[in-house]
Amino acid sequence: MTTEPYVGAEGDDHLNEECAVFGVFGGVDAGALTALGLHALQHRGQEATGIVTFDGEQFHAHRGNGHVSENFGAHSNGNVSRLKGESAIGHNRYSTSGETNQRNIQPLFADFEFGGMAICHNGNLTNAFQLRHDLVRRGCLFQSTTDTETIVHLIARSHQSTVDDRIVDALHQVEGAYSLVCLTQRAMIGVRDPRGVRPLVLGRLGDTHILASETCALDIIGAEFVRDVEAGEMVVINAEGVTSLFPFRDRPRRFCIFEYIYFARPDSIVEGTSVYRARQAIGAELASEAGVPADVIIPVPDSGVPAALGYATQAGIPFDLGIIRNHYVGRTFIEPSDSVRHLGVKLKHNANRAMVEGQRVVLVDDSIVRGTTSTKIVEMIRAAGAREVHMRIASPPTTHSCFYGVDTPERDKLMAARMSVDEMAAAIGVDSLAFISIDGLYRAMGQAAGRSADDSGFCDACFTGDYPIALTDQDSDAGTNQLSLLAAAS
Ligand code: AMP
């Protein structure tokens, strides 16, 4: 358990988190396997990490700020060896703005009537503030500011008799996106929300069962991929094996398309599709839709690389690494303030003058959010002597915030929500700018054009504003009220 002091709730100006979850049931060194799994999922969250294990008698936990290697690596004072047991679950937490609150680091743990249970969550609940408000009024004492704790209290208050039924009862009351992994004294439980917004896969290593956000976390421990946990499915893994339940009303699947565009690791297979191949196909489609005469295609590393390869192959233009990334700096979004974020971009990328000077360059990136990265990179490529700089983006303009677990800024900070494409091109300083169309994106994903988002099976709310799950807290302003309540209380 952490010993750091509680940082006040004022530190968190929103509760969105995008994260990684991982779990092991029935295997020696479950804690060490979980540390490895979390290491492979580091891209999904770099702010904090934690593991809870169960050794047949008691639970053990370690949570801390920073990367998995800092908390569970060779120089972490034997944290992993203290995590004894044959079952374990773990979590990586993505950066949110504001101070890191130690009490928000997952797995959350609570002692219930039925015994201890740890819980990890990837996603974001859209009615958590409202539920929390009601629960606080009814006397619940919250320990953290994460939406996940709402689920803990709902489980504690459920009148159902079994643990599984209590979890289902709690989840019937929440709205939003969740891929959950829970650990009790007897079982590991994985659940995906009825829309299946965030990923969750089931794997196997001999007799050991694994749950993970992405398949790349199975690869690192040599586990085989069994299948995706389905939208609306709850898998209960215990000494008898794996039981599958579908306790939620059937709703159209709406998997987050941004997982393919940016968030998932390219070597993962997500819902049967290689993330790398999806990105290449999007790049190729982008070249067909918005080609431009040029000498060289340059990816914005690393997330733009597969799309740039697809673009270059389709366009028949050479691909070169015209920007070199320093891998020892975190992702730009991690920096908390705008001034530092600018600095972060400069620290992270450098133009490779030999590949750029005198060339007509097409820069390919996965997305433009605030526009900070693009502006700096274009400036850098021009300073390195490029003759023309064109930018092609492997997603439609990001015009809406995500409330389902991807940490996007508020709408008024999204460049595409404030400006037309031509205005963006002028602001970024490119000779031309184009985004893949939404139809082009679906074509690249193997979908027929003109289908509704429900038919496509994807959530594309960040590009279309079509939010498939009610935004109860946003619509009711409950969030604001709840935050002031928390600030006043702390
Ligand atoms: P910006 O400077 O705000 O336009 O950032 C855009 C860059 O951030 C793109 O190159 C993406 O690779 C990356 N990006 C997009 N969405 C996210 C996100 N939710 N979290 C972290 N990075 C992101």
Side-chain angles (χ1 to χ4, degrees), residues 18 94 258 262-263 300 303-304 331-334 341 345 365-374 406-409:
E18 41 186 341
Y94 203 79
F258 200 65
Y262 170 77
F263 207 48
V300 178
S303 49
R331 290 183 180 194
T332 38
F333 263 53
I334 285 170
R341 194 175 293 114
V345 173
D365 202 357
D366 60 277
S367 57
I368 294 178
V369 183
R370 292 180 180 85
T372 319
T373 311
S374 314
V406 173
D407 185 25
T408 39

Side-chain angles (χ1 to χ4, degrees), residues 70-226:
E70 292 164 58
N71 283 280
F72 302 113
H75 303 294
S76 57
N77 298 322
N79 283 339
V80 171
S81 56
R82 282 193 290 276
L83 292 171
K84 295 188 175 50
E86 300 202 338
S87 53
I89 65 169
H91 188 261
N92 289 337
R93 182 172 190 261
Y94 203 79
S95 126
T96 61
S97 43
E99 291 271 331
T100 302
N101 180 340
Q102 281 277 339
R103 300 211 288 190
N104 284 346
I105 303 178
Q106 299 194 19
L108 299 184
F109 182 86
D111 280 308
F112 297 87
E113 219 177 311
F114 54 80
M117 184 169 91
I119 180 166
C120 297
H121 174 200
N122 170 210
N124 195 63
L125 305 183
T126 52
N127 65 340
F129 283 125
Q130 199 169 79
L131 287 170
R132 183 181 178 123
H133 195 74
D134 292 345
L135 287 163
V136 168
R137 266 206 337 243
R138 285 190 274 148
C140 287
L141 301 172
F142 276 76
Q143 300 293 310
S144 74
T145 56
T146 83
D147 53 354
T148 314
E149 196 184 342
T150 313
I151 301 174
V152 174
H153 288 282
L154 292 173
I155 294 171
R157 295 178 72 89
S158 171
H159 297 302
Q160 297 295 323
S161 49
T162 68
V163 179
D164 306 353
D165 287 346
R166 278 170 172 246
I167 294 173
V168 171
D169 189 24
L171 294 178
H172 272 133
Q173 298 168 67
V174 309
E175 295 166 357
Y178 51 86
S179 283
L180 299 178
V181 177
C182 310
L183 182 68
T184 70
Q185 277 139 277
R186 271 176 286 280
M188 176 166 78
I189 298 159
V191 199
R192 265 180 97 184
D193 68 75
R195 301 286 198 173
V197 177
R198 298 279 143 234
L200 189 65
V201 299
L202 193 59
R204 216 181 155 118
L205 181 63
D207 292 333
T208 305
H209 298 281
I210 318 284
L211 285 168
S213 291
E214 292 180 36
T215 58
C216 64
L218 302 178
D219 298 340
I220 192 174
I221 56 168
E224 66 179 286
F225 168 72
V226 175

Side-chain angles (χ1 to χ4, degrees), residues 438-439 442-443 445-458 460 464 466:
I438 192 89
D439 280 349
Y442 282 129
R443 260 196 308 279
M445 296 302 300
Q447 302 277 329
R451 303 181 75 191
S452 75
D454 263 350
D455 291 337
S456 77
F458 288 111
D460 57 16
T464 60
D466 170 18

Side-chain angles (χ1 to χ4, degrees), residues 222-244:
E224 66 179 286
F225 168 72
V226 175
R227 64 179 178 88
D228 290 284
V229 175
E230 288 181 42
E233 184 180 6
M234 172 159 153
V235 287
V236 180
I237 302 164
N238 57 23
E240 276 84 59
V242 182
T243 311
S244 163

Side-chain angles (χ1 to χ4, degrees), residues 192 195-199 231 251-261 270-275 278 282 404 438-448 451-469:
R192 265 180 97 184
R195 301 286 198 173
V197 177
R198 298 279 143 234
R251 266 164 270 185
R253 193 192 79 121
R254 296 290 287 266
F255 183 71
C256 167
I257 202 157
F258 200 65
E259 291 271 354
Y260 284 110
I261 291 166
V270 173
E271 303 260 303
T273 301
S274 148
V275 173
I282 296 168
Y404 307 136
I438 192 89
D439 280 349
L441 176 61
Y442 282 129
R443 260 196 308 279
M445 296 302 300
Q447 302 277 329
R451 303 181 75 191
S452 75
D454 263 350
D455 291 337
S456 77
F458 288 111
C459 174
D460 57 16
C462 51
F463 309 128
T464 60
D466 170 18
Y467 291 101
I469 307 171

